[in-house]
Amino acid sequence: MKIGILSRGPKLYSTQRLVEAARERGHDARVIDVLRCYMNITSNKPTVYYKNKGVREQLQFDAVIPRIGASVTAYGTAALRQFEVGKVYSINESVAITRSRDKLRAHQLLACKGIGMPITGYANRADATEDLIEFVGGAPLIVKVISSTQGKGVLLAETDKAAESLINAFRDLDTEFLVQEFIKEAGGSDIRCFVIGDKVIAAMQRCAKEGEFRSNLHMGGTAKVIKLKPEERALAVKAAKVMGLDLAGVDMVRSNHGPLVLEVNSSPGLEGIEKATGKDIAGAIIEYIEKDSQKGPNKITGKG
């Protein structure tokens, strides 16, 4: 198969491992910078072109693996849609990526399907600030920028006064945000479940460094293997399915009233999970694509 890996970071661990795993299984793998793609949008022959060092070529793949960064979501998913229109298989569809990247939309969809989450509030008006704080049980609480990734734009307010100041500051900056319950009993740790298809193939517990509440490895957190409970496995798979993702990193915490989903990531990193578990996650992704792509290209449903 000819596999395109849509990534702006050819030297990133995840990108390199996917290329390596694809080639080990006999495939022709190539990294494509989505911002260098441009499209001929026609009904009879939709095409994606690529220009590198002044040379134009038409891209033709049997399958693509989107590794689209949050900062280029709009253009990246537009390029991915063009591949989909051209009947190219993608492990994650453009609409699913867009859905998961909008934290408000994602939380609403998860809530609609009965997925357990920390209590979350959202409002536009300044006179709703006190109500938002009350909704989530007061401070300490989390204020989360809707477009944030890797723990960036996620802040802890330890008092109601600090929460009010933080919320008003974000509102003054015209920044969209959520206010969320802080799960004290999690103790600064969370669980990353790596979902492929309808299975959790690996899981790790991430623990925040001293003095930090965010457990993201990019923030200096540490990771170790963890044994999941059956209900945690089921919850992770269900959350990924609600988003429409066949490849997902589902983050959750253990609370006094069961596991709660924090986020569903459409481009989960491979370095932390592979090193923590010793599993060949990249190889599992390629193996899944080999089998799933035999069903044919993604169906463009237009549903958001």
Side-chain angles (χ1 to χ4, degrees):
M1 295 174 66
K2 289 185 177 181
I3 300 176
I5 300 166
L6 308 182
S7 169
R8 301 204 66 219
K11 295 183 180 180
L12 294 176
Y13 178 94
S14 298
T15 305
Q16 291 184 338
R17 283 289 295 119
L18 288 167
V19 171
E20 180 183 273
R23 290 175 178 171
E24 283 178 353
R25 297 179 70 90
H27 303 294
D28 179 4
R30 181 181 174 190
V31 179
I32 296 295
D33 181 346
V34 289
L35 294 189
R36 292 183 177 272
C37 294
Y38 54 105
M39 296 151 263
N40 181 358
I41 304 172
T42 58
S43 58
N44 60 339
K45 192 179 180 182
T47 50
V48 180
Y49 291 99
Y50 190 68
K51 183 170 284 188
N52 190 23
K53 297 180 180 179
V55 179
R56 185 187 79 176
E57 62 174 306
Q58 181 180 338
L59 294 176
Q60 295 180 312
F61 295 115
D62 300 304
V64 292
I65 304 173
R67 301 287 307 177
I68 298 168
S71 63
V72 296
T73 297
Y75 194 84
T77 52
L80 179 57
R81 274 196 303 275
Q82 188 71 357
F83 281 114
E84 292 169 346
V85 171
K87 308 300 182 185
V88 177
Y89 169 88
S90 175
I91 189 168
N92 278 340
E93 298 180 17
S94 56
V95 69
I97 295 171
T98 303
R99 186 186 294 133
S100 67
R101 286 281 165 83
D102 182 336
K103 284 185 169 56
L104 173 60
R105 182 182 181 188
H107 278 71
Q108 289 172 320
L109 289 169
L110 292 169
C112 180
K113 297 298 183 180
I115 301 291
M117 297 177 294
I119 300 168
T120 303
Y122 173 76
N124 180 63
R125 292 179 57 84
D127 60 10
T129 298
E130 290 184 5
D131 290 338
L132 286 179
I133 295 172
E134 180 186 342
F135 287 165
V136 302
L141 57 80
I142 300 295
V143 180
K144 183 183 296 185
V145 176
I146 284 178
S147 59
S148 65
T149 60
Q150 297 178 347
K152 301 172 185 175
V154 180
L155 301 170
L156 173 66
E158 296 186 347
T159 66
D160 286 357
K161 189 65 178 178
E164 185 176 339
S165 298
L166 193 55
I167 289 168
N168 291 335
F170 275 133
R171 190 173 281 122
D172 289 343
L173 293 170
D174 288 329
T175 301
E176 295 283 312
F177 61 89
L178 300 174
V179 177
Q180 195 166 69
E181 172 190 16
F182 179 63
I183 308 300
K184 305 179 186 67
E185 59 267 28
S189 68
D190 69 8
I191 298 169
R192 162 59 62 90
C193 302
F194 207 100
V195 178
I196 301 179
D198 58 359
K199 295 180 181 179
V200 176
I201 66 162
M204 63 179 175
Q205 183 176 46
R206 303 181 299 188
C207 299
K209 67 179 182 181
E210 187 175 353
E212 175 63 74
F213 73 96
R214 293 166 294 186
S215 60
N216 303 71
L217 301 185
H218 291 84
M219 298 289 180
T222 57
K224 63 180 181 180
V225 178
I226 187 171
K227 183 175 177 60
L228 294 178
K229 300 173 183 177
E231 60 267 30
E232 292 168 340
R233 287 184 177 274
L235 183 65
V237 172
K238 185 177 180 181
K241 291 302 180 186
V242 169
M243 291 295 104
L245 297 167
D246 281 354
L247 168 63
V250 180
D251 297 337
M252 64 176 67
V253 292
R254 288 173 170 170
S255 77
N256 290 335
H257 43 284
L260 303 174
V261 171
L262 298 176
E263 186 174 359
V264 183
N265 192 319
S266 61
S267 297
L270 304 186
E271 185 171 11
I273 195 83
E274 285 199 336
K275 290 183 176 179
T277 65
K279 293 185 177 181
D280 179 10
I281 308 297
I285 293 170
I286 301 302
E287 183 180 3
Y288 179 80
I289 290 172
E290 291 170 346
K291 296 175 181 177
D292 197 54
S293 63
Q294 296 302 310
K295 301 174 185 176
N298 308 85
K299 295 180 180 179
I300 309 301
T301 62
K303 296 179 181 178

